[in-house]
Amino acid sequence: MLGDLRIVEIGEGMAVQVAGLMLSELGADVLKVERPGGDPARGTAPFANWNRGKRSVVLDLDTAEGIAALTDRLAGADVLLHQFTPQQAGALGLDDAALAKAFPRLVTCGITGSPHHHPDVERGADDLLVAARVGALYENDGYRGGPIVYRYRQGSWAAAHLAASGILARLVMRLQSGSGGAAHTSLFQGFLSTLPLVWARNSEGPMPNPPTYPPDAPRAMAQQLFQCRDGDWLQIMDPTRQFDYATMPTMWEAMAEAEVDLETPEGVEAAFRLRPRDSWIADMRAADIAVEPAYPMGEVLRHPEVEANNYVIEVDDPDLGKTRQPNVPFHTDADLPQGRPAPRLGEAGEADWAPPPASTGAGAAPAEILEGVRVLDLGMFLAGPMGPSMMGDMGADVIKVEALTGDRIRFMHRYYQAAARSKRSLALDLTKPEAQPILERLIRWAEVVHHNMRFKGAAKLGLSEEGIRKYNPDVAFNYVSAYGQRGTRGNWPGYDSIFNAIAGWEFENAGAGNKPVFNRPGTMDVTSAQSCLVEIMASLYAKRAGGRGHMTQSSLLGVAAFTQGERLIGSDGKLTETYHLTSDQTGFSPYHRIFECADGKWVAVAAHKPAQQAALRDILGADDAGFAVAAKVRSTTDLLAALEAAGVPSDAVNFEDAMHRFFDDPLNRELNLVSALPQPLYGIVEQPGAFWHFGDVPIVFKHCCPAVGQHSDEILREIGYSDAEIAAFRDARIVG
C-alpha cells in the first residue's frame, strides 16, 4: 500500500518505533538509524515487536561522518521520523528550516514530550512526566486520594498513531503541492487526543461542566465489573443499563442458593460471587450483551479470535528465536509485508534509494492539510468515528450520516462531542428504500467511506463493501468492528471497557495485588479510532498516488492485542516479563514514580540512567526504600529545584482541577491546544484542540459537533437535490 515510501527513523522511544512499525507494516521501506553498539533494547520483546520489517544502519550522529551519511540517506527519503527536540534537531542540522532548504520534498515528524511550539518542548518525553505535566493523573481511578499513575502508556500509544497519520496527511498534501514540510506531534498531544472523552466544557445545555474529583478521596471505579466464584473477574458493558440480571438462568440458580437483593449494587455483586465466571458469560452472550473476562496482561495473545484474525503473528526473531508477537491490527485487500523479523544490527543498512523526482505535484498548496478530501462517515459511538473527526480537524469535508433520532452516543455528551467535531450532520433514515438514491449520491461524492456497524445490519442498509463499491468502485472503504471479520465473532457487540479487560489493562492500572479498575478514559475506543485513521490515510495516499481505493479494517480486539507490544510469547510458550505498577499506584520503581511533598503537592521523577539514579540518591538518601519519606519533608519547589540542578528528569504533577486549569491557561489557547466553538444545544464547547503541528499550515476548527440533521439541507443541495425534493423527503420522514 505504501511501497513507494522511504522513511528514515531515528529514536529509541516507544512512540517513534511504533509509528515506524505501522508505516513499515503498511509497506513503507523504513531505515532505522542506530547508535554505535545498537539500540540498548536489542534482545527484548519491545525491540522485537516494534522494529519488525525495518532495516538497520549504524551511524554516529555525534560525528561529521555520521551526519554526512545521514544526509546522503535523507536525499533519497520521503520522510524523517525522529524524537529530537527543536534544540537537539538544530544542533544536528535537522531543524525544519534547514531540512526544508536542503530537502524541499521531505516530510519531517518529530515526536517530542510537549508540543513542538510549546515552552516545555525541551523537557523530558517520559509518559509519566508528560502525564504529570498535562494533568492526566487527575483523571485516573485509584485506591487512594491524590494523583494516580496508570500503567497504560496512553501518551505514547496515541502519539505513535498521530505521528503515522500526520505523516500520511502531509504526504497527501505533497501530492498536490510537490512540497514536504512539518508533521510534528507529541506525547502531550497524545494525551490530549484521549482526554476529550472526559475534558470538555459547555457554556449551557444539559451537561455544562463535569464535576471535579475530590482531591483527597479514593475513586476506585468498578462499573459493571464483577468478581465471580473462584476469584475470576468479568467486565460487562450494557451502555443503557437496561438489562435485567434477574432474567439470566445462572441468576436463578444463585437466588435459589442464597437471598440476594438485586435492587442494590452490593446485592448484585454478592450474587455474581456465587457462580463461576463462564456461566455468567454464557448467559450474557445469549442475551447479546457485550462481556469479556478480565485477563492478566498478555494472555489476550492466546485468545482464539486473536489467532483467527492474525492479530498475533509467528516471527523467527534473530535474538529471541521462534516467537509469537502482537501484530498490527490492520486488515486490508492490499498485499502487506507482515511477519518480517526485526533486523540484526546494521542489517540491510545500505540504502539503495534513487534520488527522488524534483517534485511530486506542482499545484498550489491547499490552505489546510486535507482540504478537498471528502469523507462519508456512517459510524456511531467512538471506535471509528473519532478517526474521521480528526480528518475533519485537518481540513477534510466530513459528512456524518445518522438516524433521524441521532447517533446513539449523543446521550453521553462529551463522548459525542469528541467523536463528532469537524463534521456536518445529515439525518437520513436508511431503513427506508426511498433513502437509497440519496445514499448512492453520497457514496459517489465520497473519496472515503467509513462505518463501524455490525456487518449483518450494514448489509441490510446497503453498506456492505459490495453495496458501497456498486456506486463507487474506487472508494477507500474503512470499517471498524469489535472482534474482526476473520474469526467467528464478526457480528458480536463490543465496547471499550470489555477490551480493556481482555487486554489486561484493568488489572495493570489497578496496581499489584489490587482489584481491577474500570479504565478511564476509553483508551481502546480512542486507539481503535486512531488505528482506523492511520488505515484511512494510508489508503487515501495510495489512491491519490495512482493506486486504488483499498478496503481497510481495524477492530477493538486487534487494538487490544497490539497494545501488548511490551510482551511476546517465547519459544517456550511463556510470556516474556515486563514491569508493573506498584500497589499504591505511585509508579514503577523508586526511580520512576511520583512523590508527595510536605506541602501536599506531588513531583514526578523518571531517573532511568545510572547517573540520574545516583543523583537522585544524593538528593533523597542512599536507601531508595526511603525516598518517599525523604521527599515528604521537602517542599515541591525545593525538591524540583534540586532535581533540576542535578539533571534528574522531573515535573510538577498538575493535579487538582486540572481540566479547568488547562482550559483557562491563555498559553494553551494561543497555541491552538484548545478549540472553542458554538453549538446549538451546548453553547460554546471547549475541547482539547490541535493534535498536530504542521508548521506553515494551520489547523482551523470550524465545526463543533453538529445537532441532528443540522446540515441536511445544505448537503442535499450540494449533491444535486432541489428545495422541493428536500421538502418532500422531510415530509416523508426520510430526511430530518
Side-chain angles (χ1 to χ4, degrees):
M1 191 183 295
L2 302 180
D4 65 329
L5 293 181
R6 301 165 293 191
I7 299 172
V8 173
E9 174 196 307
I10 310 173
E12 296 168 355
M14 170 188 159
V16 167
Q17 295 181 88
V18 172
L21 168 68
M22 288 189 284
L23 296 169
S24 171
E25 297 284 73
L26 286 166
D29 184 359
V30 178
L31 179 64
K32 180 181 179 67
V33 176
E34 299 189 66
R35 65 169 84 174
D39 187 322
R42 278 189 164 274
T44 68
F47 185 91
N49 288 330
W50 296 337
N51 291 287
R52 283 199 310 271
K54 301 175 185 177
R55 298 190 288 149
S56 168
V57 63
V58 178
L59 299 179
D60 186 352
L61 299 184
D62 291 329
T63 67
E65 293 81 3
I67 293 295
L70 175 62
T71 300
D72 289 343
R73 287 160 173 82
L74 291 179
D78 296 285
V79 177
L80 171 61
L81 169 64
H82 67 75
Q83 64 183 41
F84 299 122
T85 68
Q87 285 185 11
Q88 292 168 339
L92 295 169
L94 301 176
D95 56 281
D96 290 350
L99 290 173
K101 182 177 180 180
F103 312 109
R105 293 179 65 259
L106 188 70
V107 171
T108 305
C109 176
I111 306 178
T112 46
S114 287
H116 195 77
H117 50 328
H118 194 281
D120 288 337
V121 69
E122 299 297 326
R123 298 191 69 80
D126 179 272
D127 271 88
L128 177 58
L129 297 184
V130 179
R133 210 176 298 157
V134 173
L137 304 185
Y138 174 79
E139 295 301 334
N140 297 338
D141 299 316
Y143 290 96
R144 55 169 177 77
I148 298 294
V149 175
Y150 262 14
R151 175 64 178 80
Y152 183 72
R153 296 179 68 178
Q154 185 174 331
S156 283
W157 279 113
H161 286 81
L162 294 175
S165 57
I167 286 168
L168 291 166
R170 190 82 197 206
L171 287 167
V172 167
M173 181 178 177
R174 190 183 74 172
L175 291 170
Q176 177 176 338
S177 69
S179 300
H184 302 309
T185 191
S186 64
L187 271 64
F188 191 110
Q189 287 159 297
F191 278 107
L192 289 187
S193 71
T194 62
L195 285 172
L197 277 62
V198 291
W199 277 16
R201 296 198 307 200
N202 303 340
S203 64
E204 55 189 72
M207 192 180 252
N209 293 309
T212 55
Y213 275 136
D216 300 320
R219 45 188 189 275
M221 299 290 287
Q223 295 182 25
Q224 299 179 303
L225 179 61
F226 298 105
Q227 189 172 29
C228 306
R229 200 171 72 188
D230 303 324
D232 295 325
W233 287 82
L234 63 81
Q235 175 71 66
I236 300 165
M237 179 44 69
D238 171 31
T240 64
R241 307 294 179 94
Q242 298 298 309
F243 181 69
D244 184 358
Y245 293 135
T247 62
M248 293 188 292
T250 302
M251 187 63 77
W252 304 341
E253 296 175 10
M255 294 173 72
E257 177 180 320
E259 186 174 339
V260 294
D261 181 6
L262 298 186
E263 299 300 316
T264 66
E266 295 78 13
V268 174
E269 291 172 8
F272 270 91
R273 286 194 292 268
L274 295 175
R275 285 293 179 271
R277 179 186 66 194
D278 290 349
S279 297
W280 295 115
I281 289 177
D283 283 356
M284 291 284 175
R285 288 178 177 162
D288 201 33
I289 299 296
V291 61
E292 282 293 349
Y295 286 142
M297 179 186 175
E299 288 301 324
V300 69
L301 297 178
R302 308 184 199 276
H303 195 288
E305 292 297 311
V306 168
E307 295 176 344
N309 280 280
N310 207 36
Y311 294 144
V312 62
I313 191 167
E314 293 187 1
V315 179
D316 191 359
D317 184 80
D319 293 316
L320 302 176
K322 294 188 181 300
T323 63
R324 301 181 71 208
Q325 300 180 10
N327 199 7
V328 291
F330 305 147
H331 289 166
T332 177
D333 56 4
D335 185 19
L336 299 185
Q338 297 181 353
R340 300 166 296 166
R344 292 180 171 86
L345 184 61
E347 183 178 3
E350 290 305 315
D352 52 358
W353 296 338
S359 95
T360 326
E368 296 178 78
I369 291 289
L370 294 183
E371 183 180 64
V373 174
R374 303 179 306 280
V375 182
L376 183 63
D377 174 18
L378 297 121
M380 289 192 297
F381 295 100
L382 277 161
M386 201 172 178
S389 171
M390 293 181 179
M391 294 181 73
D393 289 350
M394 290 188 277
D397 184 359
V398 184
I399 294 177
K400 175 181 177 61
V401 175
E402 54 187 326
L404 270 59
T405 52
D407 188 327
R408 286 161 52 199
I409 204 175
R410 282 179 175 271
F411 78 98
M412 301 176 70
H413 307 292
R414 283 183 293 280
Y415 280 43
Y416 170 67
Q417 291 168 9
R421 184 173 68 188
S422 300
K423 298 179 184 179
R424 298 187 292 161
S425 170
L426 167 61
L428 183 64
D429 187 352
L430 290 172
T431 65
K432 293 184 176 179
E434 297 88 343
Q436 286 301 306
I438 302 174
L439 178 63
E440 177 181 351
R441 291 196 192 185
L442 289 167
I443 292 172
R444 292 186 187 280
W445 166 87
E447 282 184 278
V448 174
V449 173
H450 162 80
H451 73 73
N452 62 347
M453 303 177 195
R454 294 196 235 179
F455 252 31
K456 282 184 179 178
K460 292 178 182 177
L461 301 176
L463 293 172
S464 64
E465 183 182 359
E466 295 75 17
I468 290 168
R469 293 202 183 279
K470 178 175 66 175
Y471 300 137
N472 189 342
D474 198 35
V475 77
F477 171 56
N478 176 262
Y479 172 67
V480 176
S481 65
Y483 287 89
Q485 295 300 302
R486 298 182 182 176
T488 62
R489 300 187 185 180
N491 284 292
W492 282 32
Y495 299 93
D496 173 88
S497 59
I498 68 168
F499 289 100
N500 262 297
I502 202 173
W505 296 117
E506 291 192 334
F507 274 117
E508 288 296 317
N509 290 335
N514 292 328
K515 297 177 181 179
V517 294
F518 186 87
N519 199 34
R520 187 175 188 269
T523 47
M524 294 298 102
D525 269 345
V526 173
T527 309
S528 295
Q530 293 176 346
S531 174
C532 106
L533 174 63
V534 173
E535 289 181 322
I536 290 173
M537 293 310 310
S539 185
L540 179 65
Y541 172 80
K543 174 179 164 62
R544 287 203 169 186
R548 61 185 177 89
H550 291 282
M551 179 278 295
T552 53
Q553 294 182 21
S554 190
S555 73
L556 284 155
L557 181 64
V559 164
F562 188 39
T563 63
Q564 311 296 292
E566 297 166 28
R567 310 190 83 169
L568 54 75
I569 300 173
S571 57
D572 58 0
K574 296 180 180 178
L575 283 163
T576 54
E577 291 300 322
T578 189
Y579 65 98
H580 302 284
L581 182 64
T582 55
S583 60
D584 63 359
Q585 297 177 296
T586 57
F588 315 105
S589 78
Y591 300 95
H592 191 201
R593 57 161 293 172
I594 57 174
F595 293 101
E596 187 175 13
C597 297
D599 49 15
K601 298 179 181 179
W602 294 71
V603 169
V605 172
H608 297 298
K609 298 178 180 179
Q612 295 167 348
Q613 294 178 357
L616 188 59
R617 288 192 293 271
D618 289 341
I619 294 169
L620 295 179
D623 181 8
D624 58 26
F627 282 180
V629 174
K632 193 68 181 290
V633 300
R634 303 182 71 150
S635 72
T636 308
T637 302
D638 172 52
L639 182 56
L640 281 170
L643 293 167
E644 188 85 17
V648 178
S650 58
D651 264 284
V653 176
N654 179 13
F655 175 59
E656 189 172 354
D657 213 21
M659 181 194 76
H660 293 297
R661 291 166 64 184
F662 172 79
F663 286 128
D664 291 337
D665 188 339
L667 178 64
N668 290 333
R669 294 175 179 273
E670 177 187 339
L671 298 180
N672 206 27
L673 298 175
V674 175
S675 77
L677 294 166
Q679 205 277 346
L681 179 61
Y682 305 116
I684 300 298
V685 175
E686 297 168 292
Q687 295 175 283
F691 306 139
W692 298 272
H693 176 65
F694 290 113
D696 57 331
V697 184
I699 288 178
V700 181
F701 299 107
K702 299 184 289 291
H703 301 296
C704 193
C705 61
V708 180
Q710 181 178 344
H711 307 95
S712 293
D713 287 13
E714 70 179 55
I715 291 169
L716 291 171
R717 290 189 193 103
E718 288 171 12
I719 60 174
Y721 288 106
S722 68
D723 287 351
E725 289 172 309
I726 295 169
F729 289 145
R730 185 163 282 108
D731 289 343
R733 297 290 296 162
I734 297 167
V735 168

